[in-house]
Amino acid sequence: MSPAKDTQKKGKSAPAKVKASEVFSAEEKAAMREAAKERRAAGTKEEQEKAVLEKIEEMQEPDRAMARRVHAIIKANAPSLSPKLWYGMPAYARDDTVVCFFQPALKFKARYSTLGFNNDAHLDEGNFWPVAYALIELTPAEEARIIELVKKAVS
């Protein structure tokens, strides 16, 4: 029996070759292109914040309104973080390392926007804690929670 038939007989198959174009969605590819462009164009803090604000203005509602509010909350409550674009999304970094970011729902055709935190955010609680939060609407209660999270993240 040939090795190929022997493999098939045991219920195993040779790994299928996957084309690079099939690995990432169009949205993921666009985000990677944006990240490469951002790295080449990184400018002053003022230029980076301007780029973030421009990206927010390009968003559709309700993402735009939420991103504006999240931006204001982070600027007011975590002044040590600098706005910058990260994979085409508004992000906030300390020493050029992204601590948190806002992912608009429409960017990846999701049903909710996301406020996410990376490894440098000080949100650790034991052995298990959330690092991303779904946002459908920003009410005063959600805003208060974001303020708590952002302050803790930079503490």
Side-chain angles (χ1 to χ4, degrees), residues 71-82:
H71 179 78
I73 289 169
I74 293 171
K75 290 280 293 175
N77 293 282
S80 63
L81 298 181
S82 300

Side-chain angles (χ1 to χ4, degrees), residues 5-27:
K5 287 183 181 178
D6 187 40
T7 301
Q8 289 174 349
K9 189 175 180 180
K10 293 179 183 176
K12 297 178 183 175
S13 61
K17 287 193 175 185
V18 178
K19 295 179 185 176
S21 62
E22 297 171 354
V23 174
F24 298 104
S25 70
E27 294 80 10

Side-chain angles (χ1 to χ4, degrees), residues 85-113:
L85 287 176
W86 186 62
Y87 294 97
M89 298 177 286
Y92 304 87
R94 180 181 354 181
D95 300 326
D96 209 38
T97 301
V98 171
V99 174
C100 59
F101 60 91
F102 176 82
Q103 179 178 302
L106 293 175
K107 184 167 185 73
F108 293 105
K109 299 177 184 165
R111 66 181 183 90
Y112 52 81
S113 298

